């Protein structure tokens, strides 16, 4: 599979090859007079991204902006390395994520608790970025792409409290990050991504509604690639969230522990996804990016927050 794919409108998809895998983590370059990279991929992706940008004629001094939809390591783990490789680039991130890019120690410590020994292989280590290079976004913001073209950011929490969607004034492309779930182009599957500790159903649904209201021409998923069928895939995003939440609520009301809740939800949802019909590499990737254990744990964490378990629900 090629690393770089032209998507039209001066937009290029870059396979950032998380942990060496193809087709699971995408970054995007918006070329033009002020080139902008959307998502860096992981720290170990940085040399792949640098070479991809070089192949598009973007050298060390040429990149104007790096923006990340949120600071999870599959999206922003490479920010410190990319900032070092492209010293002229401004780094743009939601204000709730900015301090973690300056001092990644807490973010890396919590990732280590989740991933353990797999952390180094999957993500590498997020290097710190000089605070002077970072611009923090509020509820909305704008990135100058040059030639009158703008990338506008819209705060879209639910998956993560530091998540933004980004819409291109020229193409109508909406960079959805993980707020609309994980899309598998090979099978057309869409599965929610509801990890702890930030997942909140109502907030996530509001972000999907916001995306609908923006009226994008096309969605660009970080996992993975472009989707033209905007309205129906966003409807599907909302439907998938409700299904996973309903099943997790049911498991919780039956008093299942986490392992049994995961098994129940996985079993009841697996027929929905073509990618899970065979125990192949695709199924493994799907599990890695929006795994049932992480999704169910995130939903349970949210349920415990809004209605703490009582004596009936140990
Ligand atoms: Zn992700």
């Amino acid at each position: 599979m090629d690393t770089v794919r032209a998507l039209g409108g001066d937009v290029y998809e870059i396979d950032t090859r998380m942990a060496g895998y193809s087709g699971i983590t995408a970054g995007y370059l918006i070329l033009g007079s002020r080139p902008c990279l959307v998502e860096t991929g992981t720290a170990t992706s940085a040399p792949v991204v640098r070479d991809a940008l070089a192949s598009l004629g973007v050298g060390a001094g040429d990149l104007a902006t790096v923006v990340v939809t949120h600071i999870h390591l599959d999206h922003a783990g490479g920010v410190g390395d990319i900032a070092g490789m492209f010293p002229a680039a401004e780094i743009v991130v939601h204000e709730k994520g900015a301090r973690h890019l300056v001092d990644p120690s807490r973010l890396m410590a919590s990732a280590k608790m989740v991933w353990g020994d797999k952390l180094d292989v999957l993500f590498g280590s997020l290097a710190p970025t000089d605070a002077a290079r970072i611009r923090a976004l509020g509820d909305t913001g704008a990135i100058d792409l040059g030639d009158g073209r703008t990338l506008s950011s819209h705060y879209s929490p639910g998956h993560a409290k530091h998540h933004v969607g980004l819409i291109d004034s020229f193409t109508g492309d909406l960079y959805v990050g993980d707020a609309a779930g994980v899309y598998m182009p090979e099978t057309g599957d869409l599965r929610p991504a509801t990890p702890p500790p930030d997942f909140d159903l109502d907030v996530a649904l509001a972000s999907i509604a916001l995306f609908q209201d923006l009226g994008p021409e096309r969605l660009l998923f970080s996992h993975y690639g472009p989707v033209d069928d905007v309205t129906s895939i966003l409807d599907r995003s909302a439907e998938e969230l409700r299904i996973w939440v309903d099943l997790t609520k049911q498991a919780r009301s039956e008093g299942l522990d986490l392992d049994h809740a995961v098994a129940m939800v996985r079993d009841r949802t697996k027929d929905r996804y073509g990618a899970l019909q065979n125990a192949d590499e695709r199924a493994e990737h799907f599990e890695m990016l929006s795994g049932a254990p992480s999704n169910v744990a995130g939903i349970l964490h949210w349920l415990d927050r809004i209605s703490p378990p009582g004596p009936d629900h140990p």
Side-chain angles (χ1 to χ4, degrees):
M1 204 187 279
D2 289 340
T3 302
V4 177
R5 179 162 68 124
L7 300 180
D10 259 351
V11 177
Y12 296 85
E13 176 193 279
I14 299 167
D15 186 340
T16 60
R17 309 257 163 132
M18 179 170 113
Y21 297 108
S22 295
I24 65 169
T25 49
Y28 296 92
L29 182 73
I30 307 168
L31 209 50
S33 58
R34 291 180 49 79
C36 174
L37 175 69
V38 182
E39 316 284 49
T40 63
T42 64
T44 50
S45 303
V48 175
V49 172
R50 180 191 52 204
D51 293 350
L53 265 53
S55 78
L56 293 166
V58 178
D62 301 327
L63 189 65
T65 312
V66 175
V67 57
V68 291
T69 60
H70 62 301
I71 60 164
H72 289 163
L73 294 173
D74 49 330
H75 302 255
V79 164
D81 294 87
I82 292 289
M85 290 169 178
F86 297 92
E90 181 179 51
I91 311 301
V92 181
V93 60
H94 188 263
E95 59 193 3
K96 288 201 160 71
R99 68 189 170 94
H100 296 289
L101 297 184
V102 176
D103 175 8
S105 54
R106 273 184 53 194
L107 181 66
M108 290 307 299
S110 62
K112 180 83 185 172
M113 295 214 334
V114 175
W115 296 98
D117 292 343
K118 289 193 221 154
L119 181 70
D120 284 345
V121 174
L122 285 176
F123 304 110
S125 184
L126 172 61
T129 299
D130 184 353
R133 300 221 13 221
I134 295 179
R135 177 155 66 94
L137 297 163
D139 280 356
T140 57
I143 292 163
D144 179 7
L145 300 173
D147 312 306
R149 184 174 181 176
T150 303
L151 189 65
S152 299
S153 72
H154 296 268
Y155 185 44
S156 51
H159 169 80
K161 65 179 184 229
H162 38 70
H163 195 291
V164 298
L166 299 149
I167 189 160
D168 181 334
S169 64
F170 179 65
T171 58
D173 286 331
L174 178 65
Y175 297 84
V176 292
D178 287 354
V182 167
Y183 176 75
M184 300 273 291
E186 298 89 346
T187 51
D189 290 321
L190 185 89
R191 192 154 82 153
T194 63
D198 294 346
F199 173 68
D200 181 307
L201 176 66
D202 303 316
V203 173
L205 290 173
S207 291
I208 292 169
L210 169 69
F211 286 176
Q212 294 274 29
D213 289 345
L214 291 172
E217 294 289 328
R218 180 166 70 171
L219 306 176
L220 296 179
F221 281 83
S222 300
H223 321 289
Y224 187 98
V227 173
D228 291 318
D229 204 356
V230 170
T231 306
S232 69
I233 208 79
L234 290 177
D235 285 346
R236 173 92 188 267
S237 297
E239 181 193 0
E240 291 285 332
L241 282 174
R242 291 196 182 92
I243 288 169
W244 279 70
V245 165
D246 284 349
L247 287 169
T248 303
K249 274 184 181 164
Q250 195 181 323
R252 185 178 187 249
S253 72
E254 288 170 13
L256 301 184
D257 65 17
L258 178 62
D259 286 351
H260 288 90
V262 168
M264 186 269 233
V265 177
R266 180 187 273 140
D267 188 56
R268 299 268 196 98
T269 54
K270 73 171 191 293
D271 288 345
R272 302 183 60 75
Y273 312 112
L276 299 183
Q277 300 318 307
N278 303 305
D280 60 6
E281 210 185 27
R282 269 207 304 263
E284 200 183 299
H285 292 167
F286 218 12
E287 273 298 300
M288 199 155 64
L289 294 166
S290 65
S294 161
N295 278 354
V296 171
I299 295 167
L300 286 171
H301 187 78
W302 166 67
L303 290 170
D304 287 349
R305 215 163 60 222
I306 58 169
S307 64
D312 296 338
H313 303 297

